[in-house]
Amino acid sequence: MINKKVAKEDFGTDFLWGVSSSALQTEGAHDKDGKGKSIWDVFVTQKKKILNNDTHFEAVDFYTHYKTDIALVKAMGIPNFRFSLSWSRILPMGTGAVNQAGLDFYHEVIDCCLEHGIAPFITLYHWDLPQALETQGGWTNRAILQWFEEYTKVCITAFKNKVRYWMVLNEPMVFTGGGYFLGIHAPGKKGFNNFIPAMHHAVLCQAIGYHTIKALAPEAQVGTTYSCSYITPYSSSPKDKKAAHKVDALLNRLFIEPSLGLGYPTDALWFLKKLKKYKHPGDDSLMKVPFDFIGIQNYTREVIAHSYFTPYIKAKIIPADKRKVFYTAMDWEVYPEAIYEMIMKFDSYDGVKKILITENGASFPDEIIDGVIDDHHRSHFLKSYLEEVGRAKRSSAKLAGYFVWSLTDNFEWAEGFKQRFGLIHIDYTTQKRTVKNSGWWYKTFLEEQ
């Protein structure tokens, strides 16, 4: 048992406690009951894209086991469950004909949550664009503004009477950067000619999603989520500091500042001048959106050094395993102060009304001994990060909730099934679920008065 310094009562009675997951990483059933192909269905079949050639085609089979998994959410005493909808399960071709079987599945999931007294928090887009839209350019095609509006209307019309909390996009920096610049995520495109328009269209879709939801469900609480990393320079040299400034702009400012009416961070990223080719009159005002809340998703910090060899930003990340620090299986430094720093950074923006931590967690190797998984490193990670979340709350940050990533072990994108973030262990051969000690620790924490 962990020596407790942080308590649930420290956060107030209205604080939202939860756990998160996503459709593509958990559902499986990639081609069942009328579901169309997503960009990941295609990407995972390409050579050397996914570790060990893993695929999400079965994943943890949430599609079949959702009642079991939601019952485990209840058993762990977790009152709020964040999950995403699969665009291609609802609209197999991205637009046009609606797949009623897809809507029915999500009605069943939502109803199951409500029957257990669990509030559903839904993310509209968690990286699984329909392949039919990618063949037309995907996020690089400005038509995605209309495609996304149509998808949003279908979802809100279907579920608005059951769901109060909505998140528009999950980590746009990651899905545009990984999928349209580095090519390490689906759809595997590279270069600025793909990244710049994809980025800009994602910024616009943040706003379009918000306004579309509010038009159909005025009482809904609508936000979006941002990945973020606390950035520190490797040394006090001016070059390292400049490099860190650029990376901070890229990872932490690029998507939120346009939504707040501050424009893009051109002070640090000269290549944003390329946006002129893709911006239309009125885009600057369209980008601004009065979100009810934002979700921030933090796991670590990044230490940045100058690099002559990195194009455009002249910066490189110094990996945790090169710095003699404790790190997770993802080679992410365990640095609890990072989440405090990021909460305070986002809290300092005038336009931010409320902050939820919509993802925070850690991957460590798990071992089952006599049916028990004593993942003490993960429990300690959660406790130490929660202490820093509590510090931010005491600092009067507009902080309203905390969600662990993730409910179950799952398909971790390019890392396949190697990385385990779950509070629940999955035996991928049998699909057996086992709540880890970290999950029981979270239950104990949440039950304390």
Side-chain angles (χ1 to χ4, degrees), residues 231-233 239-248 250-251 268-269 303-318:
I231 304 300
T232 57
K239 287 185 176 180
D240 283 355
K241 288 182 177 179
K242 184 176 181 180
H245 178 64
K246 291 179 180 179
V247 174
D248 178 64
L250 182 65
L251 298 186
L269 303 172
V303 176
I304 305 300
H306 172 75
S307 172
Y308 287 106
F309 306 106
T310 308
Y312 308 111
I313 60 172
K314 301 296 183 184
K316 65 179 180 181
I317 293 172
I318 307 299

Side-chain angles (χ1 to χ4, degrees), residues 90 112 297 324:
I90 293 172
C112 187
Q297 309 190 165
K324 298 181 180 180

Side-chain angles (χ1 to χ4, degrees), residues 26-38 41 56-65 86-92 99-106 431:
T26 62
E27 285 180 2
H30 76 290
D31 60 356
K32 290 184 180 179
D33 299 331
K35 181 184 175 297
K37 281 189 175 181
S38 78
D41 294 340
H56 61 281
F57 292 163
E58 183 179 7
V60 306
D61 197 15
F62 180 79
Y63 194 76
T64 301
H65 295 277
S86 166
W87 190 337
S88 59
R89 195 178 295 285
I90 293 172
L91 290 166
N99 178 30
Q100 187 60 44
L103 290 180
D104 290 346
F105 168 68
Y106 291 117
Q431 293 292 358

